[in-house]
Amino acid sequence: MSEKLSEVRQLMLQAGVDAYFLPHNDPHNNEYLAEPDKRMPFISGFKGSNGQMLITQSQALLWTDGRYWIAAGKELYEGWTLMKLKKGEPRYYEWIVQNLPKGSVVGFDPKIITAEALENRRKYFQDLGYEFRALEQNLVNSVWTDRPGYSEEPVTVLDVQYSGASIKDKVNQIRPKMKELNQHYLFTGVMDEIAWLLNLRGNDIEYNPLFFSYLLVHIPNDHEFNLHLFVNYHKVEPIHSYLRENHVTIHDYSDVEHFITEVTSPVVIDKSETNYFIFSKLKEPFHAKSIISHLKAIKNSTECEGFRNCHIRDGIAVCRYFAWLKDQLHKGNQVTEWTGSEELRKLRAEEPLNKGLSFSTISSVGSNAAIIHYEPTEESAAQITAQSIYLLDSGGHYLDGTTDTTRTVHFGEPSDWEKECYTRVLLGNLDLVRVVWPKWSNLSGNEIELLARRHLWEKGLDFQHATGHGVGHYLCVHEGPQVLSIGCKEPFEVGMNVTNEPGYYEEGAFGIRIEDVMLVVEKNPGFIGFENVTMVPYEKNLMKLEMISDKDKEFINNYHSVVWDKLSRVLEERRDYFTLEWLRKATSPI
């Protein structure tokens, strides 16, 4: 790809810029991207979901976080340098002022940088004597001659029996928030917000049931509302009547720029979620934190029950897989990380209401498990053996919910050190799921995240990722605003959910992670806590029992009893005695 990099540099000269900044992003600020928006792997080779690139005439630099350092070190093309996003290391904008002379011009694509980020960076550069300049054409797109097209698959309706609320119900949740702001228009380009509000799902991005669109919400008074949806017109042709019945006017996706320019009233918009190109077209933007994001994060009773139910079915699929895998290894049959993940994909697809995977399965053995977001390929996948730790992080979409489960197992004799590390991760997981706090305290992930790390910290160990994230309801597997992470100030509220996924990764040796999805529920009057809805046993073979207190053992046994009770009934009905026997052993008391 050095030739393509040279072509980009030639275009930089023509555009009069000394550096070109390119975040791994699209016009909708999606975490995961459609194929035509994957400029980062095209030009740099790096396939992770987070990265920022900076190209100068002499250097090509890529910044990413700790989840991807090992992977990026292996994947980056020749001529690229990995820059680690961590404390004490320069960010891209700091690197620019440290290495480029004053007066240098940094080019960027205004469609893939948020308005908030643009304002911050532009002021930073101006204050230091640099120019941050928007370019009309994305330079990588210009050299990507065989760039793929966008999906043409139709948009579908998610029935209210699964969503638990109609479009009107959801607009009525937005209405009082808009009244507080004394505004009548709200604009969003966040695709999962649009899918949630309209009870629609698509297939424009792999593993994400989304469709490319923008939405303008107009609430003129206490009773009426109008919704303007900007979308590829033919993708919604089969559901025109549904949209009309729900006060949705359809516009072509490309008409959004002209339409919003004509809106003369103030428009509520979140600068942290909206690309600068769109933001700059509004005559009177009214910045406010996303209303829809917060409402979407609080699941209604139907959605909460859907999460409980889909995790039972998903737990069946994962347990069937582990039973099958253990049997294959016992028989001496070869199973690779790739063939194993494919087997699990088939098992999930057999479960009722399944709509595919919620992300690319992380099926990793031995040293590969230390690569936090490892993704096996058919060509390079390692063989799964009984001599090494095996980490499986996987999930599925169902009409009634989305799952994200990680289990770390060992089919042979783990070392004492592996057992100690696993046990410390497990104890952190248990500490989190059991925490209870008063509602008035407004606790967030910032205050309680350390519970998942304290047993690791006692030994001088840690992990380089957040402890948990929200999960969408048959939407994106990563959802905010609630996060279990240092620095997250979003209070947990009843109805939210969050994953609980502490880990430990020893480069070149093994990786451990245990992940559950937890609902935020009322525990006692005035108190909040978590309910673990993931239904897959922990790995008893990796537990160092002398490190586990009687209270912890009781909690593990009670959890395993619940898993047995919920899954065994389904397995007995299906007469799947093979998986049932595996489950009986996996959930027997310690």
Side-chain angles (χ1 to χ4, degrees), residues 149-167:
Y150 289 95
S151 166
E152 298 291 332
E153 293 195 37
V155 175
T156 58
V157 177
L158 179 66
D159 195 278
V160 72
Q161 69 170 306
Y162 301 117
S163 69
S166 67
I167 292 178

Side-chain angles (χ1 to χ4, degrees), residues 481-496:
Q482 75 281 14
V483 182
L484 271 169
S485 176
I486 295 172
C488 175
K489 304 293 187 179
E490 186 71 27
F492 286 114
E493 299 180 47
V494 172
M496 287 181 170

Side-chain angles (χ1 to χ4, degrees), residues 371-415:
I371 304 173
I372 297 171
H373 275 202
Y374 174 78
E375 184 177 338
T377 64
E378 188 172 6
E379 298 75 23
S380 63
Q383 185 174 326
I384 301 173
T385 74
Q387 287 73 51
S388 299
I389 274 179
Y390 176 60
L391 186 156
L392 178 73
D393 186 347
S394 65
H397 285 304
Y398 299 83
L399 288 175
D400 55 351
T402 293
T403 70
D404 186 358
T405 302
T406 307
R407 288 295 182 263
T408 305
V409 299
H410 199 299
F411 299 104
E413 295 294 330
S415 69

